[in-house]
Amino acid sequence: MKVAILTMFTGLSSTYSVVNVVAEQLRMLLDAHIATKLLVSEHFSCEEKVGVFLDERIEWVKITNKRNLNIMENGKIRDGFYEEADVMAHDLVRNLSDVDVCFMHDILYLGEFLLQNVAVRTAQQQLPDVRFIAFTHSFPATPQKTDWPFSARFTPMPNTTYVYPTASGIPALAKQYDVPEEMCQVVNNSLDFLAFCSDEVRTVAQKVDLLSPDYLVVYPARLSSGKQLEKVASFCGAIKELTRRNVTVLFCDFPSNETDPKSYKPLIQLTGYEAGLNVDDIVFTSDIGFEKGFPRKGVLELFTLSNLFVFPSSSEALPLILLEAASRGNFLVVNESVPALEELGKKLGAYLIRWDPHNFGFHTTEFYPQTEKVYLQEHAAKIVDRMQNDSVIHAKTLVRQQFSPQWVWKNQLEPLLSPFVSTKPTNV
């Protein structure tokens, strides 16, 4: 399969939102190993290429528009409009003959692209095997009774699917082009969190799914029994047992002279497995290339993705990681038995759970009314309920899961590329 993306870009300013949309689509296509060409205005400045636009796999094409006409004068098309459209159509035929699908961004929608609109329709007569997907990026235009070529903005085009970024605009989109709503589909704009992250976080993302978990827990800690990493694992196991949802625990661990990692890490894993986690649900960054520890900047980036922070440490003064997790919008669960965590936790609105403490000259063991497992299950139920009813946590999780390029590609865009894909596009 080969896909073309038809734009009228003359530059790549990121303030132009469609540039960002096209950049995301390029990444999706390239990641899927689909041959891709990008069609831009012949006045495009190659010096502006940045980011994914520098990928050597992209085939660049400048579409001729040598006369650069102002198409309108006193409400009418200028002389030479159709001649210019024919020249452009010839160029489009030549450059689209080898593709299977052509994305068009606002070409059929914007009045300023009327020349390109007519040219595409002319070219299509010689491109019967090319499927067109017309993206509209603003609210659809109200249909108007106009003469040709102005009526091109409100006329259906053969072998074309019409796309809008939200389901609410589909009825208006169908009306603009006078087509059944079944010919329109939703493809959300995506937000690529990882594009803004450090190389270290992207390295982790290659080995750990950071986007789809319902509960993503990041715990930066020294591999010391005092940090009670096994308590994080057992609590997360209780959540998974209760919800049957995806839970991932990422330990950003670093060495400790107090504890042998060869014995402590298996203990943490075993505790998690016995509580309900799967083998792949627990990951140590020390096992994926960061033996000496994970960079602090990367931890802050991971907190932007995570939605739950569990802090059962048995001894703390004023832990910065709690402030960092809070600043990135995580639901906080802290050890009530440690005075500093109780004090700070109450200020931050954290959920308090009692785990073994070791602070201010005492080292005690918590005793639970029944068993620790039952205690954690009871609190897990309350925490899950609070998280589900927390609009900020809900929004953060949903954006990470369902507005990532990976989700949009798999559920919405990829199904449009082939009639043989069984997954139906999802209107969200």
Side-chain angles (χ1 to χ4, degrees):
M1 173 178 284
K2 189 171 187 177
V3 173
I5 300 180
L6 173 59
T7 76
M8 281 295 109
F9 291 165
T10 57
L12 293 173
S13 172
S14 61
T15 58
Y16 182 34
S17 60
V18 179
V19 170
N20 301 313
V21 174
V22 170
E24 293 300 320
Q25 291 182 354
L26 283 171
R27 289 191 186 94
M28 296 179 200
L29 292 166
L30 295 173
D31 287 346
H33 306 290
I34 293 175
T36 305
K37 64 166 59 177
L38 181 60
L39 281 60
V40 296
S41 167
E42 71 169 349
H43 303 292
F44 177 84
S45 173
C46 292
E47 295 178 356
E48 293 199 26
K49 292 182 184 180
V50 293
V52 69
F53 293 100
L54 291 169
D55 196 301
E56 295 181 353
R57 291 172 293 176
I58 299 172
E59 180 184 347
W60 286 80
V61 177
K62 291 186 177 182
I63 296 299
T64 185
N65 187 17
K66 295 188 182 302
R67 300 179 193 178
N68 195 27
L69 291 175
N70 179 1
I71 65 171
M72 296 285 295
E73 185 176 30
N74 298 324
K76 297 181 180 180
I77 59 171
R78 294 187 59 173
D79 291 340
F81 175 89
Y82 289 111
E83 290 82 355
E84 181 71 6
D86 286 342
V87 171
M88 185 177 293
H90 177 76
D91 205 13
L92 288 170
V93 170
R94 183 166 58 89
N95 288 288
L96 294 177
S97 296
D98 64 335
V99 306
D100 301 288
V101 180
C102 177
F103 295 176
M104 300 183 294
H105 287 276
D106 279 340
I107 301 299
L108 303 188
Y109 165 71
L110 289 178
E112 65 187 81
F113 293 151
L114 183 61
L115 179 69
Q116 290 77 19
N117 187 336
V118 173
V120 167
R121 294 170 185 272
T122 303
Q124 191 190 46
Q125 298 174 22
Q126 300 180 53
L127 299 168
D129 296 327
V130 178
R131 295 178 56 224
F132 288 82
I133 299 178
F135 289 84
T136 294
H137 296 288
S138 297
F139 193 77
T142 302
Q144 301 175 18
K145 291 184 178 180
T146 57
D147 295 327
W148 188 263
F150 300 102
S151 60
R153 295 186 63 211
F154 312 105
T155 303
M157 192 170 105
N159 201 21
T160 299
T161 300
Y162 303 87
V163 171
Y164 199 70
T166 58
S168 59
I170 293 297
L173 189 71
K175 287 181 180 179
Q176 175 174 344
Y177 296 112
D178 192 23
V179 297
E181 290 187 21
E182 291 72 24
M183 293 179 63
C184 304
Q185 293 292 344
V186 172
V187 175
N188 300 140
N189 295 339
S190 62
L191 177 60
D192 189 359
F193 288 95
L194 299 176
F196 302 97
C197 291
S198 61
D199 291 341
E200 290 83 1
V201 170
R202 286 197 288 268
T203 297
V204 172
Q206 292 174 358
K207 302 175 181 179
V208 183
D209 180 3
L210 298 176
L211 300 178
S212 66
D214 299 293
Y215 298 90
L216 176 60
V217 179
V218 174
Y219 187 33
R222 186 172 68 253
L223 266 180
S224 165
S225 58
K227 297 300 180 182
Q228 303 199 112
L229 284 75
E230 70 278 8
K231 302 294 186 183
V232 176
S234 60
F235 178 73
C236 290
I239 288 182
K240 183 158 188 173
E241 281 265 302
L242 173 70
T243 64
R244 302 298 178 183
R245 306 297 291 273
N246 294 327
V247 180
T248 295
V249 184
L250 180 62
F251 290 113
C252 298
D253 59 308
F254 52 95
S256 169
N257 294 327
E258 306 170 13
T259 309
D260 180 9
K262 293 182 180 179
S263 58
Y264 190 36
K265 286 202 287 189
L267 172 64
I268 297 167
Q269 293 169 323
L270 179 60
T271 303
Y273 303 155
E274 291 178 342
L277 295 179
N278 295 332
V279 174
D280 297 331
D281 293 339
I282 299 177
V283 181
F284 297 90
T285 55
S286 59
D287 290 338
I288 56 175
F290 300 93
E291 295 82 2
K292 301 297 182 181
F294 196 75
R296 183 177 178 186
K297 179 178 181 295
V299 169
L300 287 169
E301 293 170 349
L302 289 171
F303 277 148
T304 303
L305 295 170
S306 61
N307 55 2
L308 174 61
F309 179 63
V310 184
F311 199 23
S313 178
S314 64
S315 177
E316 295 291 338
L318 198 161
L320 289 177
I321 59 169
L322 180 55
L323 301 179
E324 292 166 351
S327 72
R328 297 306 192 267
N330 285 264
F331 189 95
L332 308 175
V333 180
V334 303
N335 189 350
E336 183 182 16
S337 302
V338 176
L341 293 184
E342 180 188 25
E343 176 187 343
L344 190 55
K346 287 181 176 179
K347 284 185 178 181
L348 297 175
Y351 190 97
L352 306 179
I353 289 184
R354 300 193 68 84
W355 281 292
D356 296 344
H358 181 197
N359 212 336
F360 295 126
F362 62 83
H363 188 177
T364 61
T365 300
E366 288 295 319
F367 291 97
Y368 303 103
Q370 299 182 48
T371 63
E372 182 177 357
K373 182 175 182 179
V374 172
Y375 176 80
L376 292 180
Q377 289 174 339
E378 291 174 349
H379 285 284
K382 295 177 182 179
I383 288 169
V384 165
D385 181 67
R386 291 194 186 185
M387 290 184 69
Q388 290 176 342
N389 290 284
D390 187 312
S391 59
V392 174
I393 296 294
H394 171 75
K396 176 179 181 178
T397 306
L398 186 65
V399 168
R400 166 169 58 77
Q401 290 180 318
Q402 294 190 14
F403 290 88
S404 69
Q406 292 85 343
W407 191 94
V408 170
W409 168 255
K410 191 66 179 176
N411 292 276
Q412 296 178 334
L413 191 54
E414 184 184 32
L416 290 179
L417 296 182
S418 174
F420 305 107
V421 176
S422 59
T423 304
K424 294 183 179 179
T426 304
N427 289 349
V428 175

